[in-house]
Amino acid sequence: MTRLSPVLGPLSPRQRWRRIRLQAYSWSLTGAYRLGAMHPAIWRLVARSYHPALDWVAARHARVACQFAAVDVPAYRDFLRGHGAEHARRLAGFPETTKQNYAGVYDEESRCQEGKLHRAGVIVDESSGSSGKPYNWVRGPRELKGIYRNAAGYIELVFPGKRLFVINAYSMGAWATGTTTGTAMARIAMVKNTGPDLDKIIDTLEHFGPGYDYVVAAYPPFLKHLRDRLDEAGFPWPDYRIRGMVGGEGMTEALRDYLEERFEEVRSGYGASDLTIGMGAETGFSVRLRKRLATDQRLRDRLLGEGEQRLPMIFHYNPLETFLEINEHGELLCTINTKSCLQPKLRYNVGDEARLHTLAEVRQALGDDYAGMWTDERMNLPLLFLFGRKDSTISYMGANLYPQDVEYGLYQGNPFAASINRFCLSLEELPGLEYRPVINLEVRGDVDHGQLADICRKGVLAHLSAVSRDFAESLREDPTAADLRVKIHALGEGPFARLTKMKNVYLVKDA
């Protein structure tokens, strides 16, 4: 890979004048919001009172962010010249940036404003590497303050309590989520950064006792491990108020239902190390809407497209902070709408497939049912319908198998769900060059492997047949399509010997 380090030379008088005009225009658009939104309380006010008329302001500010970077960021100037877009004036005229065509081509310094990286207060995060090679991402102090404010405002809105105690169970290494969550939560709650250590979390709950409003922040699979471990220990759940805040990967409603048998509620946030933490967040309304989509084909056709069988995560997002678009391939583009971003993120394509809808569009689709779906933490923000990474599937018999659909089948109504530590998918080659999908299960405890495999196979087949027309049609045309393989592995064995991160990997090769 060629690594370029374009140098930002002195600005011409024309460029300096353009920069001044852009700065004035930017503040005229969102200056009042920038000044006011420094406090979590103001963030909550904006979330509750957002008006669709502000979408126009957000779109203009996204365009200005690209124009600013065309002047201030050496890599982006070079990138635009390479795409013949150095004179772009409309937002759509600025080309998409990706990890491959931008972050992987230009070094960290050249992607910074004014080509300057080293300064006090800069934090270097690292992506988990779940999609391949880990990348480094830098964030400046002003940018981090905004991230902390957004996260704190959301937690206070969705998890109200007079004695908030956040147990931060995200990994505490260089990954952005763990350290950022701990610092942000300290603004509005008591915090203990345990990391993903079950014993430390149990000790913390027992030591401080039931007099707090606990929120455990973790990846979804780890929250399941915590529930199962506490159940094994005979933990007195009714004496405690414990809620769950998850992120880092998608979560099915089957897993949420399983967790909420113990946790008071579980809500998810959406972010990406490439972009920012807390781009979107669930509320009671978005969860109810998602559950409704699972059973209402008419509503699914209207909001997701005719015949769409997948069930996306649904998040509220603030266009004044993160302006989102959908390209012609159905992929999500994000522009961070702030000049405080050390490395501007401009029409960045992280590889997630999604849909966007205003609250008015959702209201119209729901009709008379709309009002009854609201809960106390009401947000007036538009909605992001997120399917996840576009390449996270196994193609089989003309159908695409998604990890989230497999997870539904594994956990929904399964009496042995507590024995499943995690799962991943692979393909197995049979004689005659045929392939069959394999569901690899990592299990713990004393459980009959044959019985577990049989229940899981039937559960996954039943769910896939219900939600995937392509798979159901394959079963009718060829009954051998039901030959899903389930392989049981002990802890840390088989394909799981190579999967050590807390953030799960759901597709593996050569399992």
Side-chain angles (χ1 to χ4, degrees), residues 271-310:
S273 298
D274 318 29
L275 292 164
T276 188
I277 309 302
M279 290 167 54
E282 286 186 327
T283 60
F285 172 77
S286 69
V287 171
R288 290 182 182 183
L289 177 60
R290 190 184 190 213
K291 289 180 182 291
R292 175 72 176 270
L293 282 175
T295 59
D296 190 332
Q297 184 63 51
R298 181 200 65 83
L299 184 65
R300 195 158 62 243
D301 287 345
R302 188 159 183 181
L303 292 178
L304 305 180
E306 189 74 31
E308 178 58 66
Q309 298 155 22
R310 294 168 294 167

Side-chain angles (χ1 to χ4, degrees), residues 424-442:
C424 64
L425 307 178
S426 60
L427 283 173
E428 180 180 81
E429 185 176 356
L430 305 178
L433 301 179
E434 287 190 69
Y435 286 86
R436 289 290 182 268
V438 178
I439 303 168
N440 299 279
L441 301 179
E442 184 185 48

Side-chain angles (χ1 to χ4, degrees), residues 125-126 128 139 168-185 193 217-219 245-249 271-273 276-278 503:
D125 296 322
E126 184 178 281
S128 67
R139 293 180 172 88
N168 181 15
Y170 286 116
S171 298
M172 291 293 112
W175 299 290
T177 309
T179 53
T180 303
T181 297
T183 306
M185 294 305 97
N193 296 306
Y219 291 123
M245 176 64 205
V246 298
E249 60 184 71
S273 298
T276 188
I277 309 302
K503 188 173 180 180

